Amino acid sequence: PRSRGLGDVYKRQDLTKFFYLLKQGYALTPFLLNCMIDYGYEKHIEKALCVCDRCSFAIYDFFCIYWGVDKTEDFFVKNSYTKVIQKRFSTKSLVKYQLWELLAERREYVVLAEHGQIELLKKLKQENPSDHLLGVREALRKVNAVEALAELKDWIGLAGFPEGELKLFELKELSLIHISEPTRPRLI
């Protein structure tokens, strides 16, 4: 029988110890991933990533080159690697996967407004008005979300563009009618 080379020995080895070390907190590096590919363990790469708690930006970059951006992003979203997603995904990718909260953390208000995330913008402004006031206001104005501005009672946001001025006038008229209504019923 023919002698087996070192490559054959690696191919026959069990990866149990390797996965155990990853579970214990050892980092998976592009070098280790490259070794897995070189020695025929490519089918175990996804499992290694799922087992590993520490996934660096270098791993993301490695897979973008190896798998391509689409497959890499699908994998990272499926496995909820939020830190990597937040730092490495483009705005276009965050929209593709509808990761609205991450867009809000990045203060991509106009993108949120353009994709109909008006309720999220209103929530941001109501929860922390000082942090989000100007950005949310400009985003809502850009998409002419007049009703949202009125609901938020953002009178300054309504002023200065035609649809907003009209809404302000309408609200003023309604408040005058409300004030002039009798407070007690008339006798007939």
Side-chain angles (χ1 to χ4, degrees):
R2 144 180 116 85
S3 168
R4 296 188 182 256
L6 187 59
D8 290 337
V9 172
Y10 277 118
K11 286 180 185 175
R12 287 193 328 259
Q13 284 183 346
D14 186 0
L15 292 178
T16 307
K17 290 179 184 175
F18 176 69
F19 290 130
Y20 173 77
L21 290 172
L22 290 177
K23 285 181 186 177
Q24 297 305 310
Y26 282 84
L28 189 60
T29 64
F31 173 77
L32 289 173
L33 290 171
N34 207 29
C35 288
M36 288 178 76
I37 292 165
D38 286 349
Y39 289 107
Y41 292 114
E42 184 176 357
K43 65 183 178 185
H44 299 288
I45 287 176
E46 285 191 32
K47 181 178 179 185
L49 272 169
C50 289
V51 167
C52 183
D53 287 336
R54 296 171 57 195
C55 188
S56 70
F57 302 136
I59 299 291
Y60 173 80
D61 296 339
F62 174 86
F63 279 114
C64 283
I65 294 166
Y66 185 69
W67 279 341
V69 175
D70 289 339
K71 184 176 178 182
T72 301
E73 288 182 348
D74 286 343
F75 180 81
F76 277 74
V77 168
K78 182 178 114 187
N79 292 288
S80 303
Y81 288 111
T82 308
K83 287 180 183 175
V84 176
I85 292 168
Q86 188 176 29
K87 297 287 184 193
R88 287 291 206 242
F89 277 35
S90 67
T91 299
K92 184 178 176 184
S93 294
L94 292 176
V95 169
K96 174 183 171 184
Y97 294 102
Q98 299 181 0
L99 298 169
W100 308 123
E101 295 292 332
L102 292 179
L103 282 164
E105 285 178 29
R106 286 188 182 179
R107 297 177 182 269
E108 298 271 1
Y109 304 122
V110 173
V111 174
L112 289 168
E114 288 171 344
H115 288 87
Q117 296 301 308
I118 305 300
E119 291 304 314
L120 177 58
L121 289 169
K122 290 189 321 191
K123 179 181 157 196
L124 288 171
K125 188 172 181 275
Q126 288 169 340
E127 287 177 357
N128 200 345
S130 60
D131 277 358
H132 304 289
L133 175 67
L134 296 175
V136 170
R137 175 184 292 156
E138 290 309 310
L140 293 173
R141 286 180 67 158
K142 184 166 183 159
V143 296
N144 286 328
V146 174
E147 293 301 322
L149 287 166
E151 191 176 318
L152 291 168
K153 294 181 169 82
D154 187 348
W155 313 131
I156 296 170
L158 285 168
F161 69 106
E163 293 86 353
E165 297 284 346
L166 186 61
K167 186 64 177 180
L168 278 172
F169 182 74
E170 181 184 308
L171 291 170
K172 184 178 178 184
E173 288 295 311
L174 288 174
S175 67
L176 289 175
I177 292 168
H178 179 71
I179 292 168
S180 66
E181 287 176 358
T183 55
R184 56 186 155 87
R186 294 184 192 157
L187 295 172
I188 299 178

